[in-house]
Amino acid sequence: MGSQPFRTQEVFKACDEDNKGYLSREDFKVAVVTLFGYKPSKIEADSVMSSVNPKTSGILLEEFLSIIRKKKEVQLYRNEIRHIFTAFDRHYRGYLTLEDFKKAFRQVAPKLSERTILDVFREVDQDSDGLVSFKDFEYAMNYGQNEA
């Protein structure tokens, strides 16, 4: 874990080609590809650039480190949710039934009442077919985190 910030700083330096001391929008995209292996969407790039101090016209190292740290936390959290989903999708169908969903929630948020879990299930089971996809489950887990 200790070498992560160092690697992030290296990437920052490498992407700041003219040694401006900040990353432009394009620099930022290249940095994300380097660190995470995907190109950030326009929306993600916009939101990052809009939070930048207008005087610097780019992302300073400190801001960059903080953005990357948050992204890593989100990624870990997503992976955790994926593991939970997979653990309860016992038949590898790509969805959870209400029973699976209840078991998953009991493990993750044991304090939630049966009634609340049912309400969350109904809310995320948008087509009311009694099945919840990973995307729906992820939404439910984020919802559960905010309630807890």
Side-chain angles (χ1 to χ4, degrees):
M1 224 39 200
S3 67
Q4 280 311 101
F6 178 70
R7 176 162 163 28
T8 306
Q9 284 175 355
E10 288 299 297
V11 169
F12 181 92
K13 284 199 190 94
C15 293
D16 175 15
E17 285 173 27
D18 316 324
N19 293 322
K20 305 176 291 291
Y22 62 84
L23 297 184
S24 70
R25 185 193 180 91
E26 284 311 303
D27 297 338
F28 172 72
K29 284 183 179 174
V30 173
V32 170
V33 170
T34 308
L35 287 165
F36 294 96
Y38 79 92
K39 188 169 174 239
S41 66
K42 181 181 180 329
I43 295 163
E44 185 180 344
D46 285 349
S47 85
V48 165
M49 296 316 287
S50 70
S51 67
V52 164
N53 181 339
K55 289 189 204 79
T56 60
S57 69
I59 304 164
L60 299 171
L61 178 61
E62 282 309 304
E63 292 166 330
F64 181 68
L65 291 175
S66 152
I67 290 163
I68 297 304
R69 197 172 43 248
K70 286 194 191 102
K71 279 183 77 56
K72 285 203 158 86
E73 282 164 15
V74 167
Q75 212 178 29
L76 281 171
Y77 183 62
R78 279 201 66 152
N79 290 344
E80 214 174 292
I81 292 174
R82 170 65 73 188
H83 286 306
I84 295 166
F85 182 84
T86 308
F88 289 97
D89 177 16
R90 292 206 169 82
H91 307 290
Y92 306 106
R93 297 169 299 208
Y95 58 80
L96 301 181
T97 63
L98 176 57
E99 250 342 279
D100 300 330
F101 191 81
K102 282 184 191 166
K103 285 179 190 154
F105 254 82
R106 267 186 227 118
Q107 193 151 346
V108 181
K111 290 184 190 73
L112 283 183
S113 70
E114 184 95 6
R115 171 113 197 100
T116 306
I117 293 172
L118 197 60
D119 288 345
V120 173
F121 184 83
R122 285 207 189 103
E123 190 179 326
V124 294
D125 176 18
Q126 285 166 345
D127 52 5
S128 304
D129 61 357
L131 307 172
V132 169
S133 70
F134 174 67
K135 202 171 174 51
D136 296 335
F137 183 70
E138 188 178 28
Y139 171 79
M141 283 296 165
N142 289 327
Y143 176 89
Q145 286 298 315
N146 297 337
E147 294 300 298

